Protein backbone atom coordinates (compact mmCIF):
# COMPACT_ATOMS: atom_id res chain seq x y z
CA UNK A 1 0.00 0.00 0.00
CA UNK A 2 2.97 2.30 -0.22
CA UNK A 3 1.67 4.84 -2.69
CA UNK A 4 4.31 7.54 -2.58
CA UNK A 5 7.86 7.66 -1.32
CA UNK A 6 9.16 10.42 0.90
CA UNK A 7 10.75 13.20 -1.06
CA UNK A 8 8.37 12.74 -4.00
CA UNK A 9 6.28 15.81 -4.62
CA UNK A 10 2.52 15.58 -4.50
CA UNK A 11 1.27 16.65 -7.91
CA UNK A 12 -2.05 18.38 -7.66
CA UNK A 13 -3.70 16.51 -10.49
CA UNK A 14 -6.68 14.21 -10.58
CA UNK A 15 -4.68 11.14 -11.64
CA UNK A 16 -2.23 11.34 -8.72
CA UNK A 17 -5.03 12.04 -6.28
CA UNK A 18 -7.00 9.09 -7.60
CA UNK A 19 -3.98 6.78 -7.11
CA UNK A 20 -3.70 7.99 -3.54
CA UNK A 21 -7.41 7.51 -2.85
CA UNK A 22 -7.44 4.06 -4.46
CA UNK A 23 -4.50 3.01 -2.30
CA UNK A 24 -6.20 4.25 0.86
CA UNK A 25 -9.50 2.64 -0.16
CA UNK A 26 -7.74 -0.73 -0.63
CA UNK A 27 -5.91 -0.34 2.68
CA UNK A 28 -9.18 0.42 4.48
CA UNK A 29 -11.02 -2.50 2.84
CA UNK A 30 -8.28 -5.13 3.08
CA UNK A 31 -6.46 -4.20 6.28
CA UNK A 32 -8.46 -1.87 8.53
CA UNK A 33 -12.06 -3.09 8.30
CA UNK A 34 -11.07 -6.71 9.07
CA UNK A 35 -9.22 -5.49 12.20
CA UNK A 36 -11.93 -3.22 13.65
CA UNK A 37 -13.10 -5.72 16.25
CA UNK A 38 -9.53 -6.42 17.39
CA UNK A 39 -8.93 -2.68 17.87
CA UNK A 40 -12.22 -2.24 19.73
CA UNK A 41 -11.42 -5.12 22.09
CA UNK A 42 -7.78 -4.18 22.76
CA UNK A 43 -8.27 -0.38 22.60
CA UNK A 44 -5.00 -0.26 20.69
CA UNK A 45 -3.89 0.03 17.06
CA UNK A 46 -1.68 -3.01 16.28
CA UNK A 47 1.95 -2.24 15.46
CA UNK A 48 1.75 -3.83 12.01
CA UNK A 49 -1.06 -1.41 11.11
CA UNK A 50 0.94 1.52 12.52
CA UNK A 51 3.90 0.43 10.40
CA UNK A 52 1.76 0.34 7.26
CA UNK A 53 0.32 3.77 8.08
CA UNK A 54 3.85 5.10 8.51
CA UNK A 55 4.99 3.59 5.20
CA UNK A 56 2.00 5.08 3.40
CA UNK A 57 2.77 8.56 4.73
CA UNK A 58 -0.48 8.85 6.66
CA UNK A 59 1.17 10.49 9.68
CA UNK A 60 2.26 13.39 7.50
CA UNK A 61 -0.65 13.91 5.15
CA UNK A 62 -0.98 17.64 5.84
CA UNK A 63 2.60 18.34 6.86
CA UNK A 64 4.45 20.24 4.11
CA UNK A 65 6.68 18.32 1.72
CA UNK A 66 9.77 20.21 2.93
CA UNK A 67 9.39 18.35 6.24
CA UNK A 68 8.80 14.96 4.62
CA UNK A 69 5.01 15.09 4.58
CA UNK A 70 2.67 14.79 1.61
CA UNK A 71 1.44 18.36 1.96
CA UNK A 72 -2.08 17.56 0.78
CA UNK A 73 -4.50 20.40 0.26
CA UNK A 74 -7.64 20.80 2.34
CA UNK A 75 -9.76 19.37 -0.48
CA UNK A 76 -7.45 16.36 -0.79
CA UNK A 77 -7.54 15.83 2.97
CA UNK A 78 -11.35 15.83 2.93
CA UNK A 79 -11.40 13.19 0.19
CA UNK A 80 -8.92 11.11 2.19
CA UNK A 81 -11.11 11.50 5.29
CA UNK A 82 -14.09 10.15 3.33
CA UNK A 83 -12.10 7.01 2.53
CA UNK A 84 -10.90 6.59 6.12
CA UNK A 85 -14.47 7.22 7.29
CA UNK A 86 -15.48 3.82 5.90
CA UNK A 87 -13.80 2.14 8.88
CA UNK A 88 -13.58 2.61 12.64
CA UNK A 89 -12.95 6.23 13.69
CA UNK A 90 -10.08 4.91 15.84
CA UNK A 91 -7.85 4.68 12.77
CA UNK A 92 -8.52 8.24 11.59
CA UNK A 93 -8.15 9.53 15.12
CA UNK A 94 -4.82 7.75 15.48
CA UNK A 95 -3.30 9.74 12.61
CA UNK A 96 -5.43 12.82 13.19
CA UNK A 97 -3.46 14.63 15.89
CA UNK A 98 -0.24 14.37 13.90
CA UNK A 99 -1.92 15.93 10.88
CA UNK A 100 -3.83 18.58 12.79
CA UNK A 101 -3.62 19.98 16.26
CA UNK A 102 -0.38 18.23 17.17
CA UNK A 103 1.72 19.69 14.37
CA UNK A 104 -0.05 22.82 13.18
CA UNK A 105 1.12 25.00 16.08
CA UNK A 106 4.80 24.46 15.39
CA UNK A 107 4.30 24.78 11.64
CA UNK A 108 2.44 28.08 11.97
CA UNK A 109 4.25 29.75 14.89
CA UNK A 110 7.30 27.62 15.66
CA UNK A 111 10.91 28.54 15.20
CA UNK A 112 12.83 27.01 12.30
CA UNK A 113 14.37 24.58 14.78
CA UNK A 114 10.96 23.57 16.16
CA UNK A 115 9.58 23.09 12.66
CA UNK A 116 12.25 20.45 12.04
CA UNK A 117 10.38 18.26 14.57
CA UNK A 118 7.69 17.88 11.92
CA UNK A 119 10.02 15.40 10.21
CA UNK A 120 10.00 13.23 13.34
CA UNK A 121 6.20 13.42 13.47
CA UNK A 122 5.88 12.37 9.81
CA UNK A 123 8.03 9.31 10.40
CA UNK A 124 5.90 8.46 13.47
CA UNK A 125 8.98 8.33 15.59
CA UNK A 126 6.99 10.60 17.87
CA UNK A 127 3.27 11.20 18.16
CA UNK A 128 2.08 14.77 18.36
CA UNK A 129 -0.70 16.13 20.51
CA UNK A 130 -2.07 19.46 21.73
CA UNK A 131 -2.56 19.99 25.47
CA UNK A 132 -5.47 22.42 25.73
CA UNK A 133 -8.43 21.29 27.89
CA UNK A 134 -8.62 22.49 31.51
CA UNK A 135 -11.09 21.56 34.29
CA UNK A 136 -12.63 25.05 34.62
CA UNK A 137 -12.20 26.18 31.02
CA UNK A 138 -12.89 23.15 28.87
CA UNK A 139 -11.41 23.83 25.43
CA UNK A 140 -11.90 27.62 25.67
CA UNK A 141 -8.40 28.94 25.02
CA UNK A 142 -9.32 32.38 26.33
CA UNK A 143 -10.46 31.00 29.69
CA UNK A 144 -7.39 28.81 30.23
CA UNK A 145 -5.36 29.48 33.38
CA UNK A 146 -2.25 27.38 32.81
CA UNK A 147 0.75 29.71 33.05
CA UNK A 148 4.10 29.69 31.29
CA UNK A 149 6.80 31.26 33.46
CA UNK A 150 10.09 32.15 31.77
CA UNK A 151 13.13 31.05 33.75
CA UNK A 152 16.47 32.87 33.99
CA UNK A 153 18.11 30.30 31.71
CA UNK A 154 15.52 30.98 28.95
CA UNK A 155 13.51 27.81 29.53
CA UNK A 156 9.84 27.80 30.53
CA UNK A 157 8.13 26.39 33.61
CA UNK A 158 4.49 25.41 33.10
CA UNK A 159 2.00 25.63 35.98
CA UNK A 160 -1.58 24.46 35.68
CA UNK A 161 -3.94 21.55 35.26
CA UNK A 162 -4.86 19.95 31.93
CA UNK A 163 -7.12 16.97 31.20
CA UNK A 164 -8.72 14.93 28.40
CA UNK A 165 -5.60 15.05 26.25
CA UNK A 166 -5.76 13.04 23.01
CA UNK A 167 -2.92 10.50 22.77
CA UNK A 168 -2.14 10.93 26.47
CA UNK A 169 -3.54 7.64 27.68
CA UNK A 170 -0.49 5.41 27.40
CA UNK A 171 2.07 4.55 30.05
CA UNK A 172 4.76 6.33 28.04
CA UNK A 173 2.96 9.69 28.11
CA UNK A 174 6.13 11.74 27.84
CA UNK A 175 8.18 9.25 25.86
CA UNK A 176 7.97 9.49 22.07
CA UNK A 177 5.29 12.17 22.22
CA UNK A 178 5.57 15.85 21.34
CA UNK A 179 3.18 17.95 23.42
CA UNK A 180 2.09 21.36 22.22
CA UNK A 181 1.00 22.90 25.55
CA UNK A 182 -1.24 25.95 25.44
CA UNK A 183 -0.36 28.25 28.32
CA UNK A 184 -0.68 31.93 29.12
CA UNK A 185 2.63 33.78 29.58
CA UNK A 186 3.02 34.99 33.16
CA UNK A 187 1.52 38.45 33.53
CA UNK A 188 -0.71 38.18 30.44
CA UNK A 189 -4.32 39.16 30.99
CA UNK A 190 -7.40 37.11 30.14
CA UNK A 191 -8.48 36.45 26.59
CA UNK A 192 -6.87 34.80 23.59
CA UNK A 193 -4.00 37.23 22.83
Amino acid sequence: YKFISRGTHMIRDQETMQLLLDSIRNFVQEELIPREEEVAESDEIPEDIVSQMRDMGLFGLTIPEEYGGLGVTMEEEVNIAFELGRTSPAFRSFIGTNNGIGSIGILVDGTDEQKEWAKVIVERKWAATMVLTEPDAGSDVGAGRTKAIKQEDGSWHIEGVKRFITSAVSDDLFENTMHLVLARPEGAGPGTK
Side-chain angles (χ1 to χ4, degrees):
Y1 300 104
K2 190 169 188 171
F3 56 82
I4 192 163
S5 62
R6 287 190 183 82
T8 303
H9 296 284
M10 233 3 235
I11 300 169
R12 303 298 186 247
D13 64 37
Q14 192 58 38
E15 183 180 338
T16 301
M17 187 61 200
Q18 195 57 55
L19 288 171
L20 172 62
L21 291 174
D22 289 347
S23 181
I24 293 172
R25 184 176 302 117
N26 289 337
F27 178 62
V28 166
Q29 187 65 40
E30 296 173 18
E31 300 293 333
L32 301 184
I33 290 174
R35 308 282 293 274
E36 289 174 337
E37 190 173 319
E38 174 187 349
V39 169
E41 288 175 6
S42 69
D43 199 27
E44 188 175 325
I45 307 292
E47 185 54 42
D48 66 303
I49 296 289
V50 174
S51 180
Q52 289 180 72
M53 290 176 159
R54 182 185 305 112
D55 290 345
M56 290 179 71
L58 298 181
F59 290 110
L61 286 170
T62 61
I63 294 175
E65 294 172 48
E66 66 189 281
Y67 300 108
L70 297 180
V72 300
T73 64
M74 179 64 74
E75 179 182 352
E76 291 167 337
E77 183 183 11
V78 168
N79 286 318
I80 290 166
F82 279 131
E83 291 302 328
L84 291 169
R86 296 174 49 244
T87 187
S88 168
F91 297 113
R92 171 74 172 105
S93 178
F94 193 70
I95 64 169
T97 56
N98 277 27
N99 288 296
I101 61 174
S103 62
I104 196 68
I106 63 169
L107 293 170
V108 171
D109 287 323
T111 65
D112 289 340
E113 182 181 4
Q114 289 168 332
K115 289 177 184 181
E116 289 297 314
W117 283 103
K119 293 176 183 176
V120 176
I121 295 167
V122 168
E123 295 168 3
R124 186 58 182 181
K125 291 180 180 172
W126 280 28
T129 192
M130 181 170 62
V131 182
L132 166 64
T133 307
E134 296 186 14
D136 295 328
S139 295
D140 179 357
V141 176
R145 296 180 185 197
T146 298
K147 293 187 292 187
I149 305 162
K150 193 156 192 167
Q151 306 297 296
E152 289 182 22
D153 66 359
S155 64
W156 292 87
H157 174 78
I158 306 289
E159 287 183 3
V161 176
K162 300 286 188 177
R163 66 177 183 183
F164 304 130
I165 309 306
T166 303
S167 299
V169 295
S170 65
D171 294 336
D172 61 350
L173 171 61
F174 295 105
E175 191 171 317
N176 301 324
T177 305
M178 183 190 74
H179 297 82
L180 176 64
V181 179
L182 277 71
R184 186 176 309 286
E186 186 176 39
T192 57
K193 290 186 179 179

